[in-house]
């Protein structure tokens, strides 16, 4: 067997263990540390060390060994925690992560960096405990009174005692021991169940395997004289190696609180299945269209079968889509460390609150939302939240509050980053916008003013720091969110704080769309952008200088965008009073989109247009309709810009025509 086949499994499990370790370290109360948390941190280091040793990752094993010994002293109360010691543990965890990445990429870890962190850990052990960490005996090894069993050779006589292990777990462990040697006898009760065996494996190797099921404290492995071994008994039923391993995994999960079996599947395979299901949905829609247009409409059996196919296809689609869904905790779990480090650097006290961690989102979106959220969190910490002194002067608690939340809202997910800081300064933003040459006015609504912070190069920071202030980031945040089919809004109140709301679709593969017809063409509007639709009256239409038309909707005046003009569609209805307007919203602005007809609402399979064709202004993607035709999915914010651009081009063309006419007359 090639052991490298299991590298990816080890890397993923070690990554999860490092994540758990960091989460517990960040949650530790240094003045009154929770013993369960200390044990969990120790177990994570212990498991990584065992796996690293099994796969021959020496640097990772050595670094983890030093950290594990210090953690063992901590949980035994011989090393008193302080904030700087937790910082050192976090730094060591980062080094373990770097080493893991290096092995994942098939290269050796940075020897200099490893030497540096090992020196730090050794120095910490020397100063706090009085002896180097490397001299500390590994925890939960063979009892000092007995010589450790040597690995290799013809086999050692061992007594493996399982302390307080349930009967179901005992069975799994005995089967596992059967893979490591000859089990000669089992005896004892629940509190101490003893397995006598001969094995060529060392105590550390046995412990490394078994610690995936039980705690290190639940094992007592000792060498015993061969004469104490009983007459060999029949070993347990041999199990195929693969079955034994697969049986062990549920036991690991049960230790965490629930019997849960799962498999790891490459994302590419899931994407392929989703694409196939999308094709199935399109084919089923095409069949429906054919039946509606054919003489089979009256065949009850055929219609019933088609209806069943539709339901099954829909269930299949939902089931496959759910496979890609991961909880937002995947995203939120990386921010406690960021907030802790950055708040310390800025001299601020910050309490991070996360809500809706179990809210699920498509995995591809969770990976793409991390960078925008990181920018927003850093901005809140640097610009939003005040120092304790300023908060006290403003009558606020010294500790600022930063909240990350997620919740489902219709067919979308709403992610918010909010703080109780100083809020945005309207006058300062307007002044900065004027100095940057942006078109602004004092009559702009707060909503429009807050959107100015997303302009490229916009920053009101008085000084550039290594945290922020260069005016880069927020425009990238907005572009990334729009690229995911979402939009971002800002709500702020002076002295009370700022709330940034991100609305995203749950997935990029399926879209809830509204079909509209213009001329002979059908377009898809994202339902999330649609507010309402109505037929305008002549009294509600106002023509402005330059040819722009505004539509009065209750107390608001919205610009009218003719879809046939923006997309250059011929044969469309041009009289607004004979057409339909759809009120849509994008980038915090609303406008009235003029279309011929509302066709209906349906879920559509999104096909990337840029990959298969090229970028088209005003269009975000495409889909295939039931009749086999291709429909364009409109990009609401970009469509407005496209319309404005075409109007400007038309005006330039008209002026050129007038000028040419005058030149001809003059000549």
């Amino acid at each position: 067997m090639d052991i490298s086949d299991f590298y990816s499994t080890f890397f993923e499990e070690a990554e999860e263990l490092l994540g758990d370790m960091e989460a517990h370290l960040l949650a530790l109360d240094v003045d009154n540390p929770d013993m369960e948390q200390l044990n969990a941190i120790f177990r994570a280091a212990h498991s990584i060390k065992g796996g690293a040793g099994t796969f021959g990752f020496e640097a990772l094993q050595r670094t983890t060994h030093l950290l594990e010994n210090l953690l063992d002293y901590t949980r035994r109360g011989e090393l008193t925690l302080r904030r700087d010691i937790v910082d050192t543990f976090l730094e060591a965890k980062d080094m373990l992560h770097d080493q893991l990445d290096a092995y994942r990429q098939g290269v050796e870890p940075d020897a200099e960096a490893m030497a540096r962190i090992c020196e730090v850990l050794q120095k910490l052990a020397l100063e706090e405990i009085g002896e180097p960490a490397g001299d500390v005996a590994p925890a939960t090894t063979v009892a000092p009174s007995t010589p450790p069993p040597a690995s290799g050779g013809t086999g050692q006589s061992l007594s493996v005692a399982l302390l307080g292990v349930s009967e179901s777990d005992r069975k799994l462990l005995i089967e596992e021991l059967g893979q490591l040697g000859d089990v000669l006898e089992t005896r004892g009760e629940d509190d101490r169940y003893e397995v006598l065996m001969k094995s060529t494996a060392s105590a550390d190797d046995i412990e490394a395997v078994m610690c995936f099921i039980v705690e290190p404290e639940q094992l007592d492995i000792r060498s015993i004289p061969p004469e104490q071994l009983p007459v060999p008994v029949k070993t347990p039923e041999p199990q195929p190696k693969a079955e034994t391993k697969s049986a062990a995994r549920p036991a690991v999960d049960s230790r965490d609180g629930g019997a849960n079996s799962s498999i790891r599947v490459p994302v590419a395979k899931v994407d392929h299945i989703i694409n196939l299901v999308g094709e199935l949905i399109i084919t089923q829609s095409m069949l429906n269209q054919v039946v509606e247009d054919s003489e089979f409409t009256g065949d009850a059996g055929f219609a019933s079968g088609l209806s069943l196919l539709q339901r099954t296809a829909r269930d299949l689609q939902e089931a496959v889509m759910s496979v890609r869904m991961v909880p937002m905790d995947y995203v939120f779990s990386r921010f406690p460390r960021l907030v802790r480090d950055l708040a310390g650097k800025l001299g601020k006290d910050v309490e991070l609150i996360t809500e809706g961690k179990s809210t699920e989102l498509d995995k591809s979106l969770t990976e793409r939302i991390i960078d925008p959220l990181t920018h927003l969190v850093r901005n809140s910490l640097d610009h939003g939240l005040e120092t304790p002194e300023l908060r006290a002067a403003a009558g606020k608690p010294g500790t600022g509050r930063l909240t990350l939340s997620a919740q489902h809202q219709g067919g979308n997910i709403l992610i918010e980053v909010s703080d109780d800081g100083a809020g945005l300064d309207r006058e300062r933003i307007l002044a900065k916008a004027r100095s940057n040459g942006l078109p602004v006015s004092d009559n702009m609504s707060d909503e429009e003013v807050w959107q100015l912070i997303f302009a490229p190069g916009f920053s009101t920071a008085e000084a550039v720091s290594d945290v922020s202030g260069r005016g880069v980031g927020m425009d990238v945040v907005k572009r990334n969110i729009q690229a995911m089919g979402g939009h971002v809004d800002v709500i702020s109140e002076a002295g009370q704080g700022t709330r940034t709301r991100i609305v995203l679709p749950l997935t990029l593969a399926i879209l809830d769309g509204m079909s509209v017809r213009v001329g002979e063409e059908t377009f898809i509007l994202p339902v999330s952008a649609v507010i309402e639709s109505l037929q305008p009256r002549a009294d509600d239409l106002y023509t402005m200088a330059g040819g722009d038309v505004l539509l009065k909707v209750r107390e608001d005046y919205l610009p009218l965008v003719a879809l046939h003009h923006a997309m250059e569609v011929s044969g469309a209805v041009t009289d607004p009073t004979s057409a339909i307007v759809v009120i849509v919203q994008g980038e915090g602005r609303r406008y009235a989109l003029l279309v011929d007809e509302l066709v209906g609402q349906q879920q559509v399979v999104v096909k990337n247009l840029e990959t298969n064709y090229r970028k088209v202004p005003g269009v975000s993607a495409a889909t295939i309709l039931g009749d086999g035709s291709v429909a364009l999915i409109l990009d609401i914010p970009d469509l407005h810009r496209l319309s404005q651009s075409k109007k400007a081009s038309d005006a330039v063309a008209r002026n050129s025509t007038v000028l040419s006419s005058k030149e001809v007359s003059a000549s």
Side-chain angles (χ1 to χ4, degrees):
M1 180 193 305
D2 184 359
I3 197 171
S4 62
D5 292 343
F6 301 99
Y7 279 1
S8 61
T9 302
F10 167 70
F11 291 144
E12 290 178 14
E13 291 182 349
E15 195 75 49
E16 291 176 5
L17 289 168
L18 286 176
D20 292 344
M21 182 190 294
E22 181 179 274
H24 285 301
L25 281 171
L26 292 172
L28 264 182
D29 180 355
V30 293
D31 297 324
N32 185 25
D34 183 86
M35 187 51 67
E36 283 304 313
Q37 283 185 324
L38 291 176
N39 284 333
I41 298 167
F42 173 80
R43 283 197 301 270
H46 186 77
S47 298
I48 294 171
K49 187 192 79 170
T54 302
F55 291 106
F57 299 145
E58 187 180 348
L60 184 63
Q61 183 186 23
R62 185 182 169 199
T63 312
T64 319
H65 177 65
L66 293 174
L67 177 62
E68 177 196 34
N69 288 337
L70 285 170
L71 291 170
D72 192 36
Y73 272 112
T74 304
R75 67 178 187 156
R76 283 191 279 154
E78 297 173 18
L79 173 62
T80 304
L81 277 179
R82 296 190 309 269
R83 184 183 172 89
D84 62 306
I85 293 178
V86 174
D87 289 343
T88 302
F89 289 166
L90 286 168
E91 187 182 351
K93 174 261 161 190
D94 290 343
M95 177 53 59
L96 296 177
H97 186 270
D98 292 343
Q99 291 175 340
L100 199 64
D101 275 349
Y103 284 121
R104 195 197 305 266
Q105 295 166 13
V107 298
E108 280 298 314
D110 186 341
E112 187 179 341
M114 187 190 83
R116 188 171 58 251
I117 192 65
C118 288
E119 184 181 351
V120 170
L121 294 175
Q122 292 277 16
K123 184 180 177 185
L124 175 63
L126 200 58
E127 292 175 350
E128 301 295 327
I129 307 168
E131 55 182 303
D135 295 337
V136 181
T140 66
T141 56
V142 181
S145 58
T146 61
S151 60
T154 56
Q156 301 293 317
S157 304
L158 295 172
S159 164
V160 181
L162 310 176
L163 309 177
V165 179
S166 67
E167 184 177 354
S168 58
D169 284 348
R170 274 207 312 264
K171 184 179 178 183
L172 292 172
L173 292 170
I174 293 171
E175 288 178 359
E176 195 69 33
L177 289 172
Q179 304 297 319
L180 299 173
D182 296 328
V183 175
L184 302 176
E185 184 177 303
T186 58
R187 63 192 182 194
E189 304 297 335
D190 287 352
D191 57 342
R192 184 181 179 86
Y193 196 86
E194 198 170 6
V195 180
L196 303 180
M197 62 181 297
K198 285 183 71 70
S199 174
T200 58
S202 70
D204 280 347
D205 291 341
I206 293 174
E207 183 189 330
V209 171
M210 301 181 74
C211 72
F212 284 95
I213 301 178
V214 295
E215 309 297 338
E217 299 86 354
Q218 292 179 286
L219 288 175
D220 183 10
I221 305 174
R222 297 170 183 269
S223 285
I224 58 174
E227 56 271 20
Q228 291 186 12
L229 289 177
V231 177
V233 297
K234 186 179 179 181
T235 57
E237 286 291 325
Q239 299 290 328
K241 189 72 176 176
E243 292 181 12
T244 303
K245 288 293 182 185
S246 64
R249 296 303 305 157
V252 177
D253 294 328
S254 65
R255 186 184 63 185
D256 293 333
N260 183 24
S261 60
S262 61
I263 58 173
R264 295 179 188 274
V265 180
V267 173
K269 287 186 177 180
V270 178
D271 287 342
H272 184 57
I273 294 174
I274 289 176
N275 282 335
L276 291 176
V277 171
E279 297 298 329
L280 178 64
I281 297 292
I282 292 172
T283 305
Q284 173 258 317
S285 298
M286 294 173 70
L287 283 175
N288 277 345
Q289 189 71 41
V290 170
V291 169
E292 288 178 5
D293 299 338
S294 72
E295 59 186 11
F296 289 104
T297 307
D299 188 324
F302 189 85
S304 175
L306 197 59
S307 176
L308 179 60
L309 172 63
Q310 184 176 3
R311 288 199 303 274
T312 306
R314 184 68 64 191
D315 291 345
L316 178 62
Q317 174 194 327
E318 291 178 359
V320 172
M321 294 305 298
S322 69
V323 173
R324 284 186 61 99
M325 293 294 181
V326 296
M328 280 298 292
D329 190 35
Y330 172 83
V331 177
F332 289 168
S333 62
R334 62 199 66 210
F335 287 104
R337 176 72 182 280
L338 172 69
V339 171
R340 180 182 189 273
D341 292 350
L342 199 53
K345 195 172 186 178
L346 295 169
K348 298 178 179 179
D349 293 331
V350 181
E351 178 189 9
L352 175 65
I353 299 170
T354 54
E355 299 171 349
K357 292 190 288 185
S358 60
T359 307
E360 291 188 328
L361 183 65
D362 189 288
K363 188 174 191 304
S364 64
L365 288 172
T366 58
E367 291 169 349
R368 294 170 63 179
I369 196 63
I370 289 173
D371 284 346
L373 277 183
T374 302
H375 275 293
L376 294 174
V377 168
R378 291 171 68 90
N379 268 17
S380 283
L381 289 169
D382 194 19
H383 300 309
L385 293 168
E386 314 94 325
T387 60
E389 296 76 19
L390 289 176
R391 291 182 65 86
K396 294 180 178 179
T399 300
R401 178 177 294 183
L402 177 66
T403 304
L404 289 174
S405 67
Q407 60 177 303
H408 285 149
Q409 191 177 67
N412 300 310
I413 184 170
L414 172 63
I415 303 170
E416 288 191 349
V417 180
S418 58
D419 63 65
D420 65 346
L424 297 177
D425 188 329
R426 177 187 167 94
E427 298 306 321
R428 202 166 157 197
I429 292 175
L430 283 173
K432 186 66 180 180
R434 287 193 183 93
S435 67
N436 284 3
L438 296 176
V440 296
S441 72
D442 292 333
N443 297 327
M444 292 173 68
S445 66
D446 284 348
E447 193 177 48
E448 291 172 323
V449 173
W450 306 150
Q451 286 290 325
L452 292 173
I453 65 174
F454 295 108
F458 192 92
S459 175
T460 58
E462 295 175 352
V464 173
S465 70
D466 56 352
V467 178
S468 61
R470 297 184 187 278
V472 288
M474 294 301 277
D475 59 323
V476 179
V477 167
K478 188 172 184 177
R479 280 206 305 273
N480 286 350
I481 291 171
Q482 288 175 344
M484 289 185 276
H487 62 87
V488 55
D489 299 320
V490 178
I491 302 168
S492 184
E493 187 174 351
Q496 301 300 313
T498 302
R499 186 162 41 145
T500 307
R501 297 159 55 94
I502 300 171
V503 179
L504 290 176
L506 290 179
T507 174
L508 296 180
I510 305 291
L511 174 77
D512 281 320
M514 174 178 286
S515 305
V516 297
R517 187 182 62 78
V518 178
E520 297 298 324
E521 302 290 337
T522 300
F523 295 92
I524 305 295
L525 299 173
V527 169
S528 59
V530 175
I531 298 175
E532 63 178 316
S533 60
L534 52 92
Q535 185 163 28
R537 299 178 305 173
D539 294 343
D540 295 329
L541 295 168
Y542 297 86
T543 302
M544 309 298 290
D548 287 340
V549 179
L550 297 181
L551 173 66
K552 183 181 180 184
V553 181
R554 290 180 283 278
E555 300 303 322
D556 296 328
Y557 291 87
L558 305 178
L560 188 70
V561 173
L563 185 54
H564 68 270
H565 178 257
M567 302 305 293
E568 298 181 358
V569 179
S570 59
V573 177
T574 56
D575 179 7
T577 58
S578 301
I580 300 290
V581 295
V582 183
I583 312 299
V584 293
Q585 181 169 359
E587 294 186 353
R589 293 181 178 177
R590 293 187 297 159
Y591 63 90
L593 186 66
L594 188 70
V595 302
D596 291 5
E597 179 187 4
L598 302 180
V599 179
Q601 185 175 330
Q602 59 180 317
Q603 280 195 325
V604 296
V605 179
V606 178
K607 299 291 184 184
N608 190 310
L609 191 62
E610 197 166 351
T611 302
N612 298 299
Y613 178 52
R614 64 179 174 81
K615 174 66 177 173
V616 178
V619 175
S620 63
T623 189
I624 300 174
L625 300 177
D627 60 0
S629 63
V630 174
L632 300 178
I633 301 172
L634 298 177
D635 183 333
I636 299 301
D638 198 39
L639 184 64
H640 185 250
R641 283 192 289 269
L642 176 65
S643 173
Q644 296 297 103
S645 172
K646 283 187 178 296
K647 285 181 180 176
S649 299
D650 291 347
V652 171
R654 283 196 299 273
N655 290 337
S656 300
T657 303
V658 171
L659 185 60
S660 299
S661 301
K662 289 180 178 177
E663 287 174 347
V664 170
S665 298
S667 63

